[in-house]
Amino acid sequence: SQTTSSDATGLGLIRFAAHGERRFRRLTIAFVLGEETGLTGVRALVEDRGDRLGWVIDLMGGIGTISWNAIGFDGVHVEFRTEPKHSLYGGVSEVSEAIARFVTAVHAEVPPSVGPEPSGALEGISGPVTVRRINQINAGEVFNHSPQLGTVGVDVRSTDPQLLRELGAATRALAESIAAEVGVAVTCVDDVQQPAALLPGGADHPLVQAAARAVREVGGALVLRPWSSSNINVAYAAGLEGIVHDDPGRGGGRGTADEWTDISAVLSGFAADCRLLQLVSA
């Protein structure tokens, strides 16, 4: 449903560009693979002809959601270590104590996170989006022994490169401080890493404005979202500007016998994309 929605939209745009008004000096319509496996397709596209690309619009089919900014990842894998001991020796389990304190401290300073998706007016939603949360905890193998090793996985994300760096550094410093307090060793290892990027102008960028107008003109339900994690990340990293247009409701059941596509939403999205091309080339 998702892949075919994108394919149908791209094929339609080729026909639109070939038979419609020729307003572009150059229009590249690319079908890329590998978004879920490292953005490999768009990386190849940017490496091959990044210097010939202008604004980039990542089309996923459907209509309504306009996204910008690239949310970056700083995965922090924290390892607390000490010598294990039997429960009969009493006291606390140091690694477990360090984990408990670290989790409590991280949760006490959670930054503003991704809330309900804003919609309607463009004003006041172009600021950075930042998230820090703990998703992975592991320690202990024997019922009556304190663990020698305990690990905590912290998922740090932000659309602002500076905030991402600062929050990642603060997370590592917090782990080191707590380890020193408890008396255990600690190592912080990089996990998943992805750069962050902000679209210049945010909601006021001409692409965002034109896309919002196009969606409204064809009667779509507009959702404006100042964060994205998609092919557009690679374009930002290459110094290009762009947005994403998609619709989470364009289909479902991907990879199953019950997979389905909302044909009307795909057609409406195609109409909006054609109107968007007209607006940005005017």
Side-chain angles (χ1 to χ4, degrees):
S1 60
Q2 296 175 354
T3 303
T4 52
S5 296
S6 302
D7 292 344
T9 301
L11 291 170
L13 287 172
I14 291 174
R15 178 173 294 183
F16 175 77
H19 300 288
E21 301 175 44
R22 303 299 297 271
R23 299 183 178 185
F24 290 91
R25 185 172 57 196
R26 177 184 292 114
L27 176 63
T28 300
I29 299 174
F31 298 80
V32 298
L33 303 174
E35 182 187 9
E36 302 295 343
T37 54
L39 307 176
T40 52
V42 70
R43 291 186 195 281
L45 172 67
V46 170
E47 290 173 4
D48 180 55
R49 57 176 63 207
D51 59 341
R52 287 173 285 170
L53 298 176
W55 285 345
V56 178
I57 306 172
D58 187 9
L59 300 176
M60 299 187 187
I63 182 170
T65 301
I66 308 300
S67 307
W68 64 96
N69 296 338
I71 194 161
F73 308 159
D74 181 7
V76 185
H77 182 79
V78 180
E79 300 179 351
F80 294 109
R81 292 179 178 272
T82 192
E83 292 298 319
K85 65 181 181 181
H86 197 284
S87 294
L88 290 176
Y89 286 97
V92 300
S93 176
E94 289 91 347
V95 165
S96 300
E97 174 73 5
I99 290 175
R101 292 193 188 189
F102 179 66
V103 172
T104 300
V106 167
H107 286 173
E109 300 177 4
V110 175
S113 61
V114 179
E117 293 184 332
S119 60
L122 284 168
E123 292 78 18
I125 62 170
S126 59
V129 173
T130 304
V131 176
R132 183 174 69 172
R133 58 181 289 173
I134 290 173
N135 293 331
Q136 299 168 304
I137 298 177
N138 184 55
E141 296 179 354
V142 181
F143 164 70
N144 58 355
H145 281 70
S146 58
Q148 181 176 6
L149 171 67
T151 62
V152 181
V154 189
D155 184 8
V156 183
R157 303 184 180 214
S158 182
T159 52
D160 187 313
Q162 182 175 346
L163 284 177
L164 185 65
R165 287 191 297 270
E166 292 176 352
L167 194 55
T171 301
R172 292 166 174 82
L174 180 61
E176 294 172 357
S177 174
I178 288 174
E181 292 175 5
V182 178
V184 299
V186 65
T187 303
C188 295
V189 181
D190 289 348
D191 203 334
V192 178
Q193 301 287 307
Q194 178 172 291
L198 292 168
L199 177 66
D204 294 324
H205 191 282
L207 263 180
V208 178
Q209 295 279 335
R213 177 179 169 183
V215 169
R216 288 193 180 107
E217 286 187 2
V218 302
L222 179 63
V223 174
L224 297 167
R225 190 177 67 187
W227 62 273
S228 180
S229 177
S230 67
N231 288 314
I232 204 67
N233 292 45
V234 175
Y236 286 148
L240 301 169
E241 299 176 8
I243 61 171
V244 182
H245 180 206
D246 71 340
D247 174 16
R250 63 189 177 274
R254 184 176 180 179
T256 71
D258 298 321
E259 185 172 358
W260 60 279
T261 299
D262 187 338
I263 302 299
S264 62
V266 175
L267 292 176
S268 295
F270 170 60
D273 294 332
C274 292
R275 181 62 180 137
L276 171 58
L277 290 181
Q278 290 177 331
L279 291 171
V280 298
S281 63

